[in-house]
Amino acid sequence: MEVTADVVVVGFGAAGACAAIEAAAAGASVVVLDRFAGGGATALSGGVVYAGGGTRQQVEAGVTDSAEAMFAYLKHEVRDAVSEATLRRFCEDSAKSLAWLEDQGVPFSSALCPFKTSYPTDDYYLYQSGSEDAVFDDSGPDPVPRGHRTKAKGTSGKAFFTRLAEATRRAGVRIMTQTRAVELVLEDGRVAGVHCRTLTGLPRALHSALSRAGAKPWIYYPPVGRKLFGLAAWLERRFGRPLTVTARRGVVISAGGFIADRATIRELGPAYRGGLALGTPGDDGGGIRLGVEAGGKTARMDKISVWRFITPPSALQRGVLVDSEGRRFGDTTRYGAAIGSEIIERGGKAWLLVDDDVLRVARAQVKTQTSPFQRWQVRYFLNRGMVTAPTVEEVAAKAGIGTPQDEAAQPFGTPPYSLINVSVRAGFGYPCPMLTLGGLVVDEDTGEVRGVPGLYAAGRSAVGVCSESYVSGLSLADCVFSGRRAGLHVAESSGAGEARC
């Protein structure tokens, strides 16, 4: 069986959808392949896009922002992951990029969150999602909210992807699910298609049902998720039919990262053990390996973002982070990925020291500042994940760590004192999400994989804006930015034609 199109996209998450929409808008015929039913890590995410420079939502909320202020902050986070020219383009295009998402049907809101949080409740959709408070002193630009959460109940990633998927179909893109890319087709040194295995009939229906049923267990109870997806993989091997999809113009890899590649994660160090893999079994590095096998290079494969949120409740920002020796470290106003990175540097173990006043205010904030999915985590670390004692020395002994020195204990004056376990492996009720940030090295002007003509990469399959560090919404924003870039340039690489079987 063979299918031919101008552009073939491997992976149907945010980056793949954006690439497909832009390629179709440029007049190319497009086929999208996905091992499962589409959505990937995007559908499991919070649906937050980091955007600024004067978005419609910022203006309506009375927030003053500029592309220059956004650039000034992000260059502290992005560092040298991409060039300053690329980062500046990302910031200058940011407000237009969010407007483009709205044009595709993704809803956003200007309802501004009044407190610092890792993710706002359903009352708010614009919030400060980064570490802006911690980066600048009074001489820098004022911190502003740039986290634009998709307007939907609960975690918004599913709604975000659903709207993008609808826009992809409206654009006339052919979407082939339950189809796994296994090898790139090379002709005269150029990528010219993809060899796949695809399911039909009853095996296809069973595979779809297993992947849907296994999505949440894969993250929250891996043994069950691995069993369900193991059955899905068996169906692929047993019943998958060979399929070649020829690409007249080129192939875009947007198949996610490699957080599901347990062997590689283990190689990177024991400190990452016990984290919650934020992704799907499709995030096994398969797309990246396709690019490497075709001659592509990778970078920043050791960059794993580990999230340890201490907010909400916002009162906990008044606490002090200490390591196993009782030494103070970090800044509690920073985003959870920055805190998580510092905890990893300390062997994955850390505690938050608070006094009775902080604890009392934090408990009062739980009802108004947490969403349902956050509430059970907060109740865990404010109860089972915490020890309390009359003095700082006693609470340290109870937690089994070194006594915090005067510098760490100084801000506190209201006993009793508590130590909240914020380690990577703090407990089943307080998971520590992780995702990978490295990938294929691409030309920053086009998204083409360096050294591999006809092959492009986007999202977490490629090195991009968030490949050094992560703040909430930066990955989806980069998926949109890099996906649109790849889709536009691959579509313009040669003549057009209609997809056919």
Side-chain angles (χ1 to χ4, degrees):
M1 181 178 177
E2 185 169 343
V3 173
T4 300
D6 293 323
V7 176
V8 178
V9 179
V10 179
F12 190 35
C18 291
I21 292 168
E22 282 287 24
S29 58
V30 185
V31 169
V32 174
L33 312 173
D34 197 271
R35 181 182 174 188
F36 302 109
T42 297
L44 298 172
S45 75
V48 178
V49 178
Y50 191 92
T55 66
R56 177 183 65 80
Q57 292 73 22
Q58 287 178 318
V59 172
E60 289 180 358
V63 172
T64 300
D65 194 14
S66 67
E68 188 60 37
M70 182 179 177
F71 173 81
Y73 166 64
L74 280 183
K75 68 180 180 180
H76 286 269
E77 301 285 1
V78 174
R79 300 178 197 171
D80 62 346
V82 297
S83 68
E84 285 201 2
T86 296
L87 179 59
R88 194 172 292 280
R89 186 165 65 249
F90 173 82
C91 295
E92 290 173 350
D93 292 347
S94 181
K96 292 179 181 178
S97 184
L98 198 77
W100 181 86
L101 284 172
E102 290 188 286
D103 289 341
Q104 309 313 311
V106 182
F108 296 97
S109 165
S110 59
L112 181 62
C113 186
F115 52 85
K116 179 72 173 178
T117 184
S118 59
Y119 193 78
T121 67
D122 288 345
D123 295 320
Y124 308 111
Y125 293 91
L126 176 63
Y127 71 113
Q128 188 178 321
S129 63
S131 300
E132 291 92 343
D133 284 328
V135 168
F136 296 112
D137 55 23
D138 293 339
S139 63
D142 291 336
V144 298
R146 298 191 181 104
H148 292 68
R149 175 189 164 197
T150 304
K151 193 169 191 277
K153 298 294 183 182
T155 51
S156 303
K158 184 176 181 180
F160 177 91
F161 176 73
T162 297
R163 296 301 179 88
L164 273 185
E166 291 169 350
T168 305
R169 293 184 176 92
R170 285 198 303 272
V173 173
R174 180 177 179 181
I175 301 167
M176 300 182 67
T177 59
Q178 273 65 51
T179 301
R180 184 174 189 173
V182 295
E183 186 182 25
L184 295 175
V185 177
L186 295 174
E187 291 182 0
D188 299 323
R190 182 180 179 85
V191 173
V194 186
H195 290 310
C196 312
R197 293 189 69 82
T198 189
L199 292 168
T200 59
L202 181 60
R204 173 187 174 87
L206 290 173
H207 186 277
S208 178
L210 286 167
S211 60
R212 285 197 306 270
K216 288 294 178 70
W218 173 266
I219 296 178
Y220 297 110
Y221 193 60
V224 171
R226 284 195 290 268
K227 185 168 290 187
L228 291 170
F229 279 105
L231 291 171
W234 176 82
L235 287 170
E236 293 170 354
R237 294 190 299 270
R238 177 65 179 81
F239 298 103
R241 297 171 57 191
L243 165 69
T244 297
V245 185
T246 300
R248 285 187 288 262
R249 299 185 181 183
V251 172
V252 180
I253 293 177
S254 53
F258 59 94
I259 196 63
D261 183 352
R262 299 171 68 199
T264 299
I265 300 302
R266 280 197 298 267
E267 287 176 11
L268 293 172
Y272 294 104
R273 292 185 62 191
L276 183 151
L278 189 58
T280 74
D283 291 292
D284 63 354
I288 296 171
R289 284 191 292 274
L290 288 176
V292 170
E293 290 165 0
K297 304 297 183 185
T298 61
R300 300 180 184 269
M301 296 294 279
D302 60 336
K303 296 296 181 181
I304 297 180
S305 184
V306 179
W307 307 349
R308 177 47 82 212
F309 299 119
I310 61 170
T311 62
S314 58
L316 293 180
Q317 292 178 100
R318 292 162 51 195
V320 170
L321 289 162
V322 296
D323 62 17
S324 56
E325 301 298 321
R327 294 174 298 218
R328 181 174 187 167
F329 73 92
D331 185 329
T332 53
T333 68
R334 297 193 73 187
Y335 180 68
I339 293 173
S341 177
E342 294 200 77
I343 293 174
I344 286 291
E345 292 174 4
R346 289 157 178 80
K349 296 184 179 296
W351 288 261
L352 183 71
L353 176 64
V354 298
D355 69 359
D356 188 63
D357 180 57
V358 169
L359 191 60
R360 177 179 50 80
V361 175
R363 282 180 165 151
Q365 292 173 336
V366 171
K367 185 176 181 180
T368 57
Q369 293 191 0
T370 59
S371 296
F373 81 94
Q374 296 168 317
R375 203 159 296 153
W376 64 273
Q377 297 179 29
V378 171
R379 285 173 175 162
Y380 174 87
F381 71 67
L382 290 182
N383 292 283
R384 292 181 60 192
M386 180 181 73
V387 294
T388 302
T391 67
V392 172
E393 293 77 11
E394 289 175 284
V395 77
K398 202 170 182 180
I401 69 171
T403 301
Q405 303 303 307
D406 290 344
E407 181 189 359
Q410 189 205 355
F412 301 100
T414 310
Y417 301 93
S418 299
L419 279 166
I420 300 169
N421 188 350
V422 295
S423 303
V424 171
R425 304 181 73 176
F428 178 75
Y430 188 24
C432 194
M434 303 190 307
L435 81 163
T436 59
L437 303 179
L440 293 163
V441 178
V442 300
D443 182 294
E444 293 182 17
D445 290 327
T446 65
E448 189 171 36
V449 176
R450 287 183 182 170
V452 189
L455 182 64
Y456 297 74
R460 298 287 58 76
S461 292
V463 173
V465 169
C466 75
S467 290
E468 174 63 27
S469 65
Y470 179 85
V471 298
S472 189
L474 196 58
S475 182
L476 278 188
D478 185 40
C479 285
V480 176
F481 176 76
S482 63
R484 294 181 67 195
R485 175 182 65 189
L488 177 63
H489 284 281
V490 69
E492 292 179 342
S493 63
S494 64
E498 296 299 319
R500 64 179 184 272
C501 288

